[in-house]
Amino acid sequence: MIATISCAALMGIDAFKVQLEVDFSRSGMPAFTMVGLAEGAVRESKERVFSALKNCGFKVPPARITVNLAPADVRKAGSGYDLPLAIGILTAMGVIDQRAVDGWFLAGELSLSGDLKAVPGVLPLALAAREQGGHGIIVPEANAREGAVAGDLEVIGAADLGQVVRMLLGEDAIDPARVDIDTLWNERTTHLVDFGEVKGQEHAKRAIEIAAAGGHNLLFIGPPGSGKTMLAKRIPTVLPPLSFDEALEVTKIYSVAGLLPVDQALMVTRPFRTPHHTISDVGLVGGGRYPQPGETSLAHRGVLFLDEMPEFKKSVLEVLRQPLEDGEVSISRSLMTLKYPADVMLVAAMNPCPCGYLSDETHPCSCSPLAVQRYRNKISGPLLDRIDLHVDVPAVPYEDLRQTRSEMDSATMRARILNARRIQAERFQARHFSLNAELDGAALEEFCALGEAEHRFLRQAVETLGLSARAYTRILRISRTIADLAEAQTIGPDHLAEAINYRSMDREGAS
């Protein structure tokens, strides 16, 4: 007898339907054969499944068992095929009626005792089941709330194999998992930090406000202890809240990576990722023998913070160029090309020189000009090209340290940022982009048009400072965001002057 069980395989952050077929024959020599491009963990499922069946009281007689995972030309990986295989064998044996499993999508890892363990990728599985017209999914209890986020689908969370079998036989009822999306939004964690706690650095906080309003990437340059990391950690407190579609997208990434907390069905706050400078290129953008999302994708719709940026290997930094340009990571393999979302706000921090004290008036710098140049050359021009704002963060003077709390707190900054983003959304509603950082080509000329006075001012700045065409484009983008924060219809000389002030690396290169 042949049984067919519906399950799913992951490709990027999406899932596609897989039909697990089991042929159970009592004729011929007993054997177990699995075909359909099954990777190691899938092939090993045989041992887990047979032990689980035995320990749950199901006796599998000697037989010739052939398992096919269709489509057979796409790789299948992971331990989530344990439960479908076990139910497929019982269905092929005649213990469970085929009609009882039709319409259900199954996923779950089995322990030797038959307990169901959580598996990654249940949210994409639930979305795929809904698109395929399935009436429900059966998954481990730990994954049930995650699957229920998909909505319009019956999600059954089971504790062990025996409970699943009893449910399919009609001997036991399991209440479907329920998730109240409104409650999840209300469970958004309150930020434990605030820009009001940052003493001084009003110039840097203004730069953060501009970067967050326009979606610009940001580079802090300053001596040790000036507050670069403190400022970066508070950026999520001023970013707009995630929409439901954005939250679903972020949750899918964490689900596929196996990093979704058990008690968190939906990612409701923007991610903030801080990889160490020893990270590999695969760890940063994803990939590997069995491709997984990297830190850049885990920071999707949030902030990717690279502290001590020049300490990262140059080859690692260079792989960021394509994701920062396209907003996604492409990973090519011989049989497939995967894409992971990677729409991030890049925030980086660096010292001005190897010793760190080039710009510090209280500490002498011990670095030679050649050493300083070599240190800064660790960040290539093409990568620096993708960072709009270069912000000097000097050491905090004592008078500022005596402040109790800054008037420029997160709530004040967030209100201005939200208003600027609303203005951009209305301006670009007929376009394929929504932020000033994405302006380019004809759109740049249309939305960043300058008057005669502004052209004269910018021409003088470009000629005096020796600014490049790259810097010219960045200055226009930043100026447009500064004008939006001021609710100005057109870009003025004061907006251009402030934007030029945030291109310190260009000014130093020119000098």
Side-chain angles (χ1 to χ4, degrees):
M1 178 178 176
I2 297 179
T4 302
I5 307 295
S6 296
C7 48
L10 295 173
M11 183 172 288
I13 65 167
D14 297 312
F16 63 92
K17 184 177 181 180
V18 171
Q19 292 279 47
L20 187 147
E21 301 169 325
V22 180
D23 182 17
F24 190 90
S25 175
R26 298 293 295 272
S27 61
M29 293 291 293
F32 182 92
T33 305
M34 180 178 286
V35 296
L37 277 186
E39 297 291 348
V42 185
R43 292 195 301 270
E44 291 172 354
S45 63
K46 168 195 170 184
E47 309 302 332
R48 294 189 296 272
V49 166
F50 277 90
S51 293
L53 287 169
K54 180 188 68 175
N55 291 318
C56 287
F58 300 104
K59 184 177 180 181
V60 181
R64 189 175 188 86
I65 302 174
T66 303
V67 179
N68 178 44
L69 298 169
D73 59 344
V74 180
R75 182 183 60 84
K76 323 298 186 309
S79 57
Y81 298 95
D82 289 5
L83 179 61
L85 178 57
I87 297 301
I89 291 174
L90 292 176
T91 303
M93 288 170 52
V95 175
I96 301 173
D97 192 293
Q98 177 67 55
R99 290 170 295 181
V101 298
D102 288 341
W104 289 103
F105 282 68
L106 281 68
E109 178 182 338
L110 287 170
S111 70
L112 299 184
S113 63
D115 293 336
L116 279 171
K117 299 181 178 181
V119 292
V122 166
L123 178 55
L125 163 68
L127 294 172
R130 190 182 67 185
E131 292 172 2
Q132 291 288 332
H135 64 250
I137 62 172
I138 303 175
V139 295
E141 272 184 333
N143 293 123
R145 294 184 73 242
E146 172 191 343
V149 169
D152 300 325
L153 192 75
E154 194 170 353
V155 179
I156 301 297
D160 54 51
L161 175 60
Q163 189 178 24
V164 175
V165 175
R166 291 192 297 274
M167 188 208 81
L168 293 173
L169 293 175
E171 300 174 357
D172 191 5
I174 304 176
D175 293 330
R178 295 279 186 268
V179 171
D180 186 350
I181 300 298
D182 292 335
T183 301
L184 289 179
W185 287 118
N186 294 332
E187 288 176 355
R188 295 187 190 206
T189 55
T190 303
H191 292 290
L192 302 178
V193 293
D194 193 282
F195 273 109
E197 303 161 346
V198 180
K199 299 177 181 180
Q201 303 297 8
E202 300 303 313
H203 174 69
K205 286 193 276 187
R206 170 63 174 171
I208 289 171
E209 185 176 89
I210 295 168
H216 305 284
N217 297 323
L218 179 65
L219 172 63
F220 291 130
I221 308 163
S226 58
K228 302 185 294 295
T229 303
M230 176 184 286
L231 288 163
K233 288 183 176 178
R234 284 159 175 75
I235 291 176
T237 67
V238 300
L239 292 175
L242 287 171
S243 66
F244 179 73
D245 288 340
E246 290 176 332
L248 203 62
E249 197 173 22
V250 174
T251 305
K252 285 169 66 177
I253 296 171
Y254 278 75
S255 174
V256 168
L259 297 177
L260 189 66
V262 175
D263 59 344
Q264 191 169 353
L266 187 69
M267 299 287 291
V268 294
T269 55
R270 293 188 182 272
F272 181 83
R273 304 294 297 187
T274 58
H276 192 261
H277 63 258
T278 56
I279 194 170
S280 66
D281 52 353
V282 170
L284 188 60
V285 299
R289 184 179 178 186
Y290 303 113
Q292 286 286 303
E295 289 290 335
T296 310
S297 294
L298 294 173
H300 181 60
R301 303 296 184 187
V303 176
L304 176 66
F305 178 48
L306 303 184
D307 202 2
E308 304 295 343
M309 191 178 189
E311 300 303 325
F312 286 76
K313 295 177 185 176
K314 193 166 185 177
S315 60
V316 172
L317 291 177
E318 290 305 298
V319 299
L320 279 175
R321 287 160 57 176
Q322 181 256 335
L324 291 179
E325 191 73 25
D326 301 336
E328 63 181 13
V329 175
S330 296
I331 300 172
S332 297
R333 293 291 182 267
S334 58
L335 296 176
M336 69 183 76
T337 297
L338 302 179
K339 293 185 181 295
Y340 291 114
D343 186 2
V344 302
M345 176 182 175
L346 175 66
V347 179
M350 62 178 285
N351 295 329
C353 65
C355 78
Y357 296 109
L358 180 64
S359 60
D360 194 339
E361 297 178 356
T362 60
H363 295 82
C365 174
S366 60
C367 304
S368 67
L370 181 61
V372 174
Q373 189 62 39
R374 189 182 300 118
Y375 178 75
R376 296 195 173 193
N377 284 345
K378 291 182 179 180
I379 305 175
S380 70
L383 180 58
L384 199 61
D385 182 29
R386 289 160 173 80
I387 303 178
D388 287 351
L389 285 84
H390 311 152
V391 184
D392 290 320
V393 185
V396 182
Y398 180 74
E399 290 74 15
D400 290 340
L401 291 175
R402 295 182 58 189
Q403 293 180 2
T404 54
R405 187 177 177 88
S406 170
E407 294 181 0
M408 198 171 182
D409 58 12
S410 293
T412 303
M413 294 171 65
R414 184 168 56 249
R416 290 198 290 259
I417 289 167
L418 289 174
N419 186 55
R421 289 220 175 187
R422 177 189 58 78
I423 292 171
Q424 292 170 76
E426 293 174 357
R427 179 192 302 129
F428 303 137
Q429 59 182 343
R431 304 281 176 154
H432 65 277
F433 53 85
S434 60
L435 295 172
N436 290 330
E438 300 170 272
L439 284 169
D440 204 358
L444 186 74
E445 296 297 326
E446 177 183 352
F447 296 111
C448 298
L450 303 179
E452 281 301 319
E454 289 75 25
H455 271 301
R456 285 195 301 270
F457 178 86
L458 188 54
R459 182 185 298 111
Q460 183 179 4
V462 169
E463 292 174 352
T464 303
L465 299 174
L467 300 178
S468 65
R470 174 185 69 199
Y472 169 81
T473 300
R474 296 309 189 262
I475 288 168
L476 287 180
R477 290 177 179 173
I478 300 167
S479 300
R480 182 64 267 174
T481 301
I482 294 171
D484 289 340
L485 284 166
E487 299 187 22
Q489 293 293 325
T490 59
I491 296 173
D494 53 335
H495 305 139
L496 291 169
E498 186 176 3
I500 292 169
N501 197 37
Y502 294 120
R503 296 293 300 178
S504 62
M505 297 288 279
D506 290 319
R507 299 199 309 272
E508 290 172 11
S511 61

